[in-house]
């Protein structure tokens, strides 16, 4: 029996431990009425009113979240929101129930577990309630290996050392914690120190009273306790942990005896091991989430060392931060299956894998195999298989694979030496259910069964024929297989023939081959050869003659069909060649027409030069920028205006200054529009104006159409649609509102479909005054939570893509990329809730087939756009050559400079010509006040001839 004094000390220690735990967990859930608050009487009525409104809003939100979870229980973020709201409201009963439901579906993170445990510890006062907390801790440490949860568990258990067997229970928990995370290089030291502190506290209670002589029993207890602490120090110093030097110094100071040589040797060895681990730990410390490459390098390092405990720990650390990476789980489970082979450890890892990544069929198949390998009860394996069917796989073929794995397991349970057994009936029932499931459930969801070759029915037929000697059932199954569209394939008929050849009779073999010759369309020659080979070996003369006649007739029909197909193909090719020749001739004629037109223009210019005396000299005609025919250039950005309209209208790339001279109206201008005066753009109203572009040129009455569309944003003052000189709508306009807020609301209509095209709505900004203004509203930098998908079929809709993507996480937004006409380009951007979900989606979806198109998936990181260098305004203002503006196709051949080469080649910088005026003429040099002489066409011609 323990001495009375020690018993009292233990009770005091238990009370102190419980009090410390209570103080540490004293924090109540936010919003708990017991947590108090502002007790100031001033403004109580207002705060109570606000509190009631907030409470009603929270109650409504809680009800909405609960209803949403009743529809989709696997909505992870909905679970999180509900738990957060219930904890804020202090609804502890509902909070406990919500956490329980979530933990049944998903492994909980370290933060969720710690919050849950602290709330439960705070409410646990009775012994029975403490036992429930212990059970909760046991569940928590199984989800992930977390040093913080183990430390919390050990510290909480100290509060129960006053109970019977309390000390041994604490020691047991500490030992389990050291086994789980004691090797953790960066966090393991805290557990070792906590364990030693506990043992030191026990040592203090075992010390005799001052001045008294310890009894032999007390001396034995003291020696035993001292040895426990010595052992802890020695164990810790043999493990590579951070701050090992401090632990060694502490041991030297604490121990009254010299440190044994064995301990020193192990300590130095651990130091060397720590130096090897430090680069990997530093890489993890400096890396960004998800750190997959750094963890994989660390795993490879530990695999070479070969310590199973350390390999397991680094895998667990990697999975704690990358729990949604199926490949990592697969590698870990494969290591456990092949190396450790510990049943509890293996099955626990497999269970956590499928709970984290339930959409990955490979993890479920490995789980079923592991359970069979460790002889788990059949009822449990069947239960896990049913869970797999409800996991929500993203491909129809995944269901075929999981069914095949389960059927393989059921077949291995059957003793086929017996004519009939319960296991055999269960296998047959499962085969029938699998066929029906793929036909009903899977085909309804994916519009395909996932098993076009009927592999499950083929395996069923093989089992019946080879293992059950039931060829009649096998023939029925194969007849069903052929009626599902497989009769045209030679390999299917030959598979059935081989089965009949091995387990049937010659009559059914001959019958199968005759049907194959008649139905096969891909390789009929091969089937005919097999039929002739059969008759050559086993058939009679009549059988041979019948086979020869049948094969010859069939091959003759096949050759005839192939010849017709070849003729048709040749005719199509000839038609294509003719069309190509016609296009080539049309291009040649067009080119010749353009050349002839240029010749006529040159003749006309020559005639003008011959007549220069009457026209050029008398009129004094001079070239002027405003009189040159304007040329319209195409651009790719929103709001690119034609030059003929940009002189009076301002958009994203427009000019607000007035033109240099009056524009010359074209002779063929529309009578309905040519008399309408042009309105100069008022840049002072840019804040209440939006620029609308990419509209259809054929839009009738654009003012009325857009007034109706933008009327919901606010009062529309004016809509200025832009027309060219022919009266044709140019596809863009200006919408002016009464209020600035209305203009901001109008921007939300950007990309709205109008007459089949996305309408672009952007702020009205003068690009000359704001050259850095950007309209593109999407990020052009790396976004780790967003995916870029290419290779999509043009028919793929936003809803169809969301159905594929939501299996990997919470999809916040999907944007299908279209051209200016609103037609899809086969590209899309998918935004997820976080980076982990996006990373998982890349791993799972890259290379996926969507409607016969193999898509490519990657993290969104658009390439940097190369912007053209901006010209120097100070230099362009002095340049005599007109500014050349290139369109979307580059520099065209018709972009002629209006400045004669004779003037452009002047070597003297003073010899400049501007608008046809020579600045260094003799007249100008003799009389500075005289106006420069204006040059006519004849003057230009003479100057060129002199050159």
């Amino acid at each position: 029996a323990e001495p009375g004094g020690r018993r009292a000390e233990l009770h005091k220690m238990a009370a102190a431990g419980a009090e410390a735990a209570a103080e540490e967990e004293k924090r109540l859930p936010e919003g708990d009425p017991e947590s108090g608050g502002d007790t100031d009487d001033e403004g109580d009525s207002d705060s109570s009113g606000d509190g009631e409104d907030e409470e009603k809003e929270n109650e409504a939100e809680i009800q909405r979240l609960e209803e949403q979870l009743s529809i989709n229980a696997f909505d992870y973020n909905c679970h999180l929101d509900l738990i957060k709201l219930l904890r804020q409201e202090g609804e502890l009963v509902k909070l406990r129930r919500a956490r329980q439901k979530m933990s049944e579906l998903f492994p909980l993170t370290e933060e969720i577990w710690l919050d849950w445990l602290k709330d439960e510890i705070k409410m646990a006062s009775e012994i029975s309630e403490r036992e429930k907390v212990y059970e909760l801790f046991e569940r928590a440490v199984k989800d992930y290996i977390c040093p913080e949860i183990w430390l919390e568990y050990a510290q909480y258990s100290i509060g129960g050392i006053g109970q019977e067997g309390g000390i041994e229970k604490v020691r047991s928990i500490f030992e389990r914690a050291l086994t789980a995370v004691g090797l953790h290089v960066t966090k393991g030291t805290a557990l070792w120190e906590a364990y030693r502190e506990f043992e030191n506290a026990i040592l203090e209670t075992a010390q005799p009273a001052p001045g008294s002589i310890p009894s032999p029993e007390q001396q034995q207890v003291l020696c035993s306790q001292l040895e426990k602490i010595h052992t802890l120090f020695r164990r810790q110093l043999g493990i590579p942990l951070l701050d090992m030097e401090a632990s060694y110094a502490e041991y030297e100071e604490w121990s009254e005896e010299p440190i044994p040589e064995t301990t020193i040797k192990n300590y130095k060895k651990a130091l060397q091991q720590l130096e090897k681990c430090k680069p990997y730990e530093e890489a993890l410390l400096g890396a960004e989430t998800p750190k997959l490459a750094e963890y994989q390098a660390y795993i490879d390092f530990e695999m070479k060392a070969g310590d199973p405990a350390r390999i397991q720990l680094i895998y667990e650390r990697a999975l704690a931060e990358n729990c949604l990476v199926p490949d990592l789980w697969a590698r870990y489970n494969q290591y456990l299956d092949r190396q450790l082979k510990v049943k509890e450890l293996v099955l626990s890892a497999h269970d956590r894998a499928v709970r984290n990544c339930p959409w990955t069929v490979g993890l479920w198949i490995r789980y079923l195999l592991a359970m069979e390998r460790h002889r788990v009860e059949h009822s449990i394996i069947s239960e896990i298989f049913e869970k797999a069917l409800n996991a929500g796989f993203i491909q129809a073929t995944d269901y075929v694979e999981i069914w095949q794995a389960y059927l393989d397991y059921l077949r291995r349970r059957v003793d086929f030496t017996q004519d009939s057994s319960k296991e055999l009936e269960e296998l047959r029932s499962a085969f029938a259910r699998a066929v029906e499931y793929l036909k009903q459930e899977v085909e309804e969801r994916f519009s395909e069964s996932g098993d076009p070759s009927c592999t499950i029915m083929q395996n069923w037929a093989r089992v019946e024929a080879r293992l059950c000697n039931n060829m009649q059932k096998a023939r029925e199954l194969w007849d069903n297989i052929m009626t599902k569209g497989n009769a045209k394939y030679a390999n299917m008929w030959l598979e059935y023939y081989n089965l009949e050849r091995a387990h049937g009779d010659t009559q059914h073999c001959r019958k199968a081959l005759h049907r194959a010759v008649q139905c096969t369309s891909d390789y009929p020659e091969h089937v005919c050869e097999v039929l002739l080979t059969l008759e050559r070996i086993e058939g009679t003369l009549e059988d041979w003659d019948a086979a020869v006649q049948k094969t010859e007739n069939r091959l003759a029909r096949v050759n005839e069909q192939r010849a017709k197909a070849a003729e048709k193909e040749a005719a199509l090719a000839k038609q294509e060649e003719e069309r190509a020749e016609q296009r080539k001739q049309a291009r040649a004629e067009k080119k010749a027409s353009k050349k002839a037109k240029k010749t006529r223009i040159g003749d006309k210019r020559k005639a003008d030069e011959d007549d220069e005396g009457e026209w050029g000299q008398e009129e004094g005609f001079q070239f002027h920028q405003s009189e040159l025919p304007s040329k319209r250039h195409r651009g790719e950005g929103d709001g690119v205006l034609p030059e003929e309209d940009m002189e009076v209208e301002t958009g994203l790339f427009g000019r607000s200054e007035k033109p240099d001279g009056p524009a010359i109206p074209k002779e063929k201008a529309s009578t309905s529009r040519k008399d309408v005066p042009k309105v100069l753009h008022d840049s002072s109203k840019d804040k209440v104006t939006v620029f609308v572009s990419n509209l259809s040129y054929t839009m009738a009455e654009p003012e009325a159409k857009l007034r109706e569309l933008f009327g919901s944003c606010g009062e529309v003052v004016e809509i200025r649609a832009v027309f060219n000189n022919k009266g044709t709508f140019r596809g863009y306009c200006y919408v002016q509102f009464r209020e600035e807020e209305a203009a901001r609301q109008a921007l939300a209509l950007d990309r709205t479909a109008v007459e089949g095209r996305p309408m672009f709505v952007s702020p009205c900004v003068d690009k000359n005054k704001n050259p850095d203004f950007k309209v593109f509203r999407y990020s052009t930098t790396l976004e780790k939570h967003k995916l870029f998908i290419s290779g999509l079929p043009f028919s793929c809709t936003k809803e169809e893509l969301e159905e594929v993507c939501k299996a990997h996480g919470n999809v916040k937004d999907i944007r299908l990329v279209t051209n200016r006409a609103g037609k899809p380009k086969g590209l899309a951007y998918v935004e997820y809730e976080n980076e982990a979900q996006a990373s998982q989606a890349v791993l799972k979806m890259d290379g996926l087939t969507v409607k016969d198109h193999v898509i490519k998936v990657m993290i969104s990181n658009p390439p940097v756009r190369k912007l053209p260098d901006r010209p120097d305004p100070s230099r362009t203002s002095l340049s005599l050559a007109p500014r050349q503006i290139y369109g979307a196709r580059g520099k065209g051949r018709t972009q002629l400079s209006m400045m004669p080469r004779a003037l452009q080649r002047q070597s003297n910088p003073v010899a400049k010509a501007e608008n046809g005026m020579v600045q260094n003429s003799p007249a100008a040099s003799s009389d500075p006040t005289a106006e420069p002489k204006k040059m006519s066409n004849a003057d230009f011609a003479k100057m060129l001839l002199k050159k």
Side-chain angles (χ1 to χ4, degrees):
E2 294 179 336
R6 185 182 176 203
R7 171 75 67 179
E9 290 293 335
L10 285 174
H11 280 291
K12 289 181 181 179
M13 183 176 176
E19 183 178 355
E23 286 295 330
E24 185 174 352
E25 312 303 337
K26 193 173 182 180
R27 180 173 59 86
L28 292 172
E30 296 178 11
D32 195 299
E34 297 181 7
S35 63
D38 187 5
T39 59
D40 192 356
D41 293 337
E42 184 178 353
D44 277 351
S45 59
D46 295 338
S47 62
S48 62
D50 295 340
E52 291 178 1
D53 294 340
E54 184 179 357
E55 185 176 353
K56 290 181 180 179
E57 292 177 1
N58 289 342
E59 289 178 358
E61 181 65 12
I62 289 172
Q63 185 176 359
R64 186 191 68 81
L65 292 172
E66 289 176 343
E67 291 176 356
Q68 186 172 343
L69 286 175
S70 65
I71 298 173
N72 180 16
F74 289 91
D75 192 333
Y76 188 87
N77 292 318
C78 190
H79 281 285
L80 292 179
D81 294 339
L82 179 60
I83 290 173
K84 181 180 179 181
L85 203 55
L86 289 173
R87 196 164 191 261
Q88 178 181 339
E89 290 295 307
E91 297 283 351
L92 297 181
V93 177
K94 291 184 178 180
L95 177 62
R96 180 183 295 167
R97 186 164 56 246
R99 284 165 167 165
Q100 181 67 29
K101 288 182 179 179
M102 185 177 182
S103 66
E104 292 173 357
L105 297 173
F106 305 101
L108 304 186
T109 63
E110 178 183 333
E111 293 77 14
I112 297 176
W113 272 121
L114 288 175
D115 288 340
W116 189 359
L117 290 166
K118 290 175 181 178
D119 292 343
E120 294 293 341
I121 289 172
K122 180 174 68 289
M123 295 186 294
S125 57
E126 303 295 332
I127 296 178
S128 60
E129 294 175 343
R130 289 184 62 86
E131 289 299 324
K132 292 181 179 179
V133 176
Y134 283 130
E135 294 175 1
L136 199 61
F137 268 115
E138 289 295 331
R139 292 174 54 191
V141 297
K142 290 179 181 178
D143 273 355
Y144 302 107
I145 290 185
C146 299
E148 289 80 2
I149 294 179
W150 275 110
L151 186 59
E152 192 76 24
Y153 190 9
Q155 290 176 344
Y156 177 73
S157 66
I158 294 176
I161 60 176
Q163 302 172 8
E164 184 178 357
I167 295 178
E168 294 304 321
K169 186 172 185 177
V170 174
R171 285 174 175 157
S172 173
I173 293 173
F174 266 118
E175 287 295 335
R176 291 174 56 202
L178 292 180
T179 301
V181 294
L183 299 178
H184 198 297
V185 175
T186 58
K187 298 182 179 180
T189 303
L191 270 170
W192 288 98
E193 291 178 351
Y195 196 0
R196 288 204 316 274
E197 289 298 325
F198 169 74
E199 294 294 352
N200 276 319
I202 299 296
L203 179 63
E204 291 296 328
T205 63
Q207 295 288 350
S212 62
I213 300 175
S215 63
E217 293 82 3
Q218 289 178 328
Q219 191 66 33
Q220 184 178 358
V221 170
L222 282 173
C223 292
S224 175
Q225 189 62 29
L226 284 171
E227 184 59 30
K228 285 185 174 65
I229 299 175
H230 275 289
T231 303
L232 283 176
F233 267 118
R234 294 165 186 169
R235 288 170 59 190
Q236 179 183 355
L237 293 176
I239 299 172
L241 300 171
L242 290 183
D243 298 329
M244 290 185 63
E245 297 84 353
S247 300
Y248 185 82
E250 182 182 352
Y251 187 28
E252 282 185 318
E253 182 180 354
W254 180 85
S255 177
E256 297 178 355
E257 302 174 358
I259 300 177
E261 287 297 328
T262 305
T263 303
I264 295 175
K265 182 179 179 181
N266 292 337
Y267 167 69
K268 292 181 178 179
K269 184 178 179 181
L271 274 178
Q272 295 176 355
Q273 181 69 15
L274 178 62
E275 291 301 318
K276 296 179 181 179
C277 294
K278 274 186 178 180
Y280 299 98
E281 294 290 346
E282 292 172 356
L284 289 174
L285 187 63
E288 296 182 359
T289 305
K291 309 179 183 179
L292 272 174
E294 290 76 14
Y295 271 119
Q296 188 58 53
Y298 206 163
I299 291 171
D300 294 339
F301 165 74
E302 293 293 358
M303 291 287 283
K304 291 179 181 178
D307 187 343
R310 298 191 63 82
I311 295 172
Q312 179 194 354
L313 179 62
I314 191 59
Y315 263 120
E316 291 287 354
R317 288 177 60 185
L319 288 167
E321 295 190 49
N322 299 276
C323 59
L324 299 179
V325 181
D327 291 342
L328 188 58
W329 281 107
R331 292 195 294 269
Y332 181 40
N333 290 335
Q334 178 177 312
Y335 171 77
L336 296 178
D337 287 334
R338 296 180 179 179
Q339 302 297 328
L340 296 188
K341 301 180 181 180
V342 180
K343 178 179 179 180
E344 291 76 12
L345 183 61
V346 169
L347 295 183
S348 173
H350 280 287
D351 181 67
R352 290 187 292 136
V354 297
R355 289 179 67 201
N356 278 282
C357 306
W359 61 85
T360 308
V361 66
L363 297 178
W364 288 100
I365 294 175
R366 291 185 180 90
Y367 193 8
L368 294 176
L369 291 172
M371 287 190 292
E372 182 184 3
R373 196 175 293 119
H374 291 282
R375 304 185 183 280
V376 177
E377 294 182 5
H378 173 62
S379 59
I380 298 177
I381 296 179
S382 299
E383 181 181 350
I384 295 299
F385 169 71
E386 295 297 333
K387 288 183 179 180
L389 287 182
N390 297 321
F393 300 132
I394 62 175
Q395 297 184 76
T397 54
D398 292 344
Y399 288 93
V400 179
E401 292 180 24
I402 192 65
W403 267 111
Q404 192 60 63
Y406 184 59
L407 292 169
D408 292 344
Y409 156 71
L410 293 178
R411 181 198 55 81
R412 288 190 285 265
R413 295 181 68 242
V414 179
D415 182 5
F416 289 100
T417 59
Q418 302 179 9
D419 294 336
S420 179
S421 63
K422 179 182 177 181
E423 290 79 7
L424 178 58
E425 293 305 318
E426 184 178 3
L427 174 61
R428 285 173 171 162
S429 175
F431 268 119
R433 183 189 168 199
V435 173
E436 189 67 20
Y437 186 91
L438 295 177
K439 180 180 178 181
Q440 298 292 336
E441 302 290 337
V442 178
E443 192 165 352
E444 180 180 350
R445 178 181 174 187
F446 297 97
S447 300
E448 59 166 327
S449 67
D451 191 16
S453 300
C454 302
T455 54
I456 288 182
M457 293 183 69
Q458 287 189 47
N459 291 332
W460 188 2
R462 294 187 188 100
V463 169
E464 293 289 352
R466 298 176 183 176
L467 302 178
C468 300
N469 299 319
N470 188 353
M471 275 303 300
Q472 182 61 33
K473 180 64 176 178
R475 292 179 185 123
E476 293 176 3
L477 291 170
W478 267 104
D479 186 66
N480 195 2
I481 291 172
M482 292 304 181
T483 58
K484 294 183 179 298
N486 293 302
K488 58 185 177 181
Y489 300 117
N491 66 315
M492 299 296 287
W493 284 108
L494 295 179
E495 188 71 29
Y496 173 41
Y497 167 74
N498 291 331
L499 190 68
E500 281 285 359
R501 191 74 172 156
H503 307 285
D505 52 52
T506 304
Q507 180 181 357
H508 284 90
C509 289
R510 181 177 292 111
K511 183 178 178 181
L513 290 176
H514 275 274
R515 289 179 61 193
V517 169
Q518 189 68 27
C519 301
T520 300
S521 60
D522 54 351
Y523 298 106
E525 294 88 351
H526 190 31
V527 175
C528 292
E529 183 181 352
V530 174
L531 174 58
L532 293 176
T533 301
L534 173 68
E535 301 300 356
R536 180 176 286 111
I537 296 174
E538 299 187 16
T540 63
L541 179 60
E542 291 77 8
D543 296 333
W544 173 261
D545 291 339
V548 170
Q549 183 179 358
K550 193 173 188 67
T551 55
E552 287 178 351
N553 293 338
R554 175 58 178 161
L555 293 178
R557 288 197 302 271
V558 169
N559 292 331
E560 183 179 353
Q561 292 172 357
R562 290 174 178 173
K564 289 182 179 180
E567 291 176 2
K568 186 176 180 181
E569 184 177 354
L572 292 175
K574 185 176 181 180
Q575 291 177 4
E576 183 63 29
E577 289 179 0
E578 291 176 354
R579 285 195 292 267
E581 185 64 27
Q582 291 174 359
R583 289 194 296 268
K584 185 177 180 180
Q585 292 179 1
R587 287 195 297 268
E589 292 175 359
K590 188 175 181 181
K591 186 175 181 181
S593 175
K594 288 182 178 179
K595 188 174 182 180
K597 186 177 180 181
K598 289 181 180 179
T599 304
R600 290 196 297 272
I601 293 174
D603 295 341
K604 183 178 179 181
R605 288 179 178 173
K606 186 175 181 181
D608 291 342
E609 292 176 3
D610 293 339
D611 198 26
E612 62 185 6
E614 296 183 7
W615 182 70
Q617 295 179 359
E618 292 178 6
E619 297 295 332
F621 180 80
Q622 56 183 329
F623 286 97
H624 192 277
Q625 181 70 19
S626 63
E627 295 174 352
L628 295 177
S630 61
K631 180 174 180 179
R632 178 164 44 90
H633 298 277
R634 296 173 59 190
E636 297 178 356
D638 296 349
V640 180
L641 303 181
E643 284 191 68
E644 60 190 62
D645 297 312
M646 285 169 66
E647 295 178 346
V648 293
E649 298 287 2
T650 295
L652 296 179
F653 301 89
R655 298 191 299 271
S656 59
E657 60 270 17
K658 296 182 180 180
D660 295 333
I664 301 175
K666 297 184 179 179
E667 296 180 359
K668 297 182 180 181
S670 172
T671 57
S672 61
R673 295 286 178 181
K674 67 180 182 179
D675 296 331
V676 178
K678 293 187 177 181
V679 181
L680 294 178
H681 180 74
D682 187 357
S683 59
S684 64
K685 297 180 180 179
D686 283 353
K687 292 186 178 180
V688 294
T689 305
V690 295
F691 179 68
V692 182
S693 62
N694 200 44
L695 299 171
S696 174
Y697 289 180
T698 61
M699 179 182 289
E701 298 298 331
E703 294 91 343
K705 179 75 174 179
L706 295 178
R707 188 176 295 275
E708 177 184 356
L709 187 62
F710 286 96
S712 60
C713 302
E715 182 181 353
V716 178
V717 176
E718 181 184 11
I719 295 181
R720 299 194 301 278
V722 180
F723 298 84
N724 63 10
N725 290 341
K726 294 182 179 181
T728 304
F729 179 48
R730 297 303 303 144
Y732 49 89
C733 63
Y734 299 86
V735 180
Q736 181 181 335
F737 294 91
R738 180 74 62 187
E739 302 291 338
E740 185 175 343
E741 178 61 28
R744 283 195 292 267
Q745 293 183 10
L747 296 176
L749 297 178
D750 185 38
R751 312 284 169 168
T752 302
V754 178
E755 296 187 1
R757 295 169 62 90
M759 174 182 67
F760 299 158
V761 184
S762 54
C764 188
V765 177
D766 188 351
K767 288 289 286 188
N768 288 334
K769 297 179 180 179
N770 300 277
D772 295 328
F773 178 77
K774 302 295 182 184
V775 181
F776 194 69
R777 59 177 179 157
Y778 302 107
S779 174
T780 57
T781 59
L782 175 64
E783 295 178 281
K784 295 184 179 180
H785 66 290
K786 186 180 291 186
L787 304 183
F788 173 69
I789 303 178
S790 61
L792 288 168
F794 292 164
S795 60
C796 182
T797 63
K798 183 176 180 180
E799 291 73 18
E800 291 173 341
L801 183 58
E802 183 178 8
E803 188 68 24
V804 176
C805 297
K806 70 180 183 181
H808 311 295
N810 185 24
V811 178
K812 296 180 63 178
D813 183 46
I814 292 180
R815 177 166 62 92
L816 295 177
V817 181
T818 61
N819 59 18
R820 295 178 68 87
K823 303 299 182 183
K825 300 173 69 174
L827 310 174
Y829 289 90
V830 180
E831 182 178 357
Y832 279 95
E833 188 74 26
N834 52 51
E835 298 176 12
Q837 295 177 358
S839 300
Q840 169 58 30
V842 171
L843 294 172
K844 187 64 180 178
M845 292 173 56
D846 188 33
L848 187 68
T849 301
V850 177
K851 293 184 178 181
D852 298 330
H853 285 66
V854 179
I855 64 173
K856 293 182 179 180
V857 184
M858 62 191 73
I859 297 297
S860 177
N861 187 17
V864 179
R865 292 181 177 230
K866 295 183 178 180
L867 299 177
D869 296 334
R870 297 194 186 98
D872 187 353
S874 62
R875 298 186 61 182
T876 55
S877 61
L878 299 176
S879 176
L880 298 179
R883 181 173 60 92
Q884 294 183 354
I885 305 176
Y886 301 148
R889 299 179 181 272
K891 182 177 180 180
R893 290 180 296 176
T894 60
Q895 292 175 335
L896 303 176
S897 174
M898 294 296 104
M899 180 61 60
R901 295 186 181 90
L903 296 183
Q904 293 179 2
R905 295 173 181 169
Q906 293 289 339
S907 59
N908 187 356
V910 182
K912 298 282 185 174
E914 185 171 358
N915 291 333
M917 296 180 293
V918 181
Q919 296 179 357
N920 62 341
S921 62
S925 60
S926 61
D927 186 4
T929 61
E931 293 185 0
K933 178 183 177 182
K934 297 182 178 179
M935 298 183 67
S936 65
N937 282 0
D939 296 330
F940 277 107
K942 290 177 180 179
M943 186 175 297
L944 291 174
L945 291 174
K946 289 179 181 180
K947 282 288 182 180

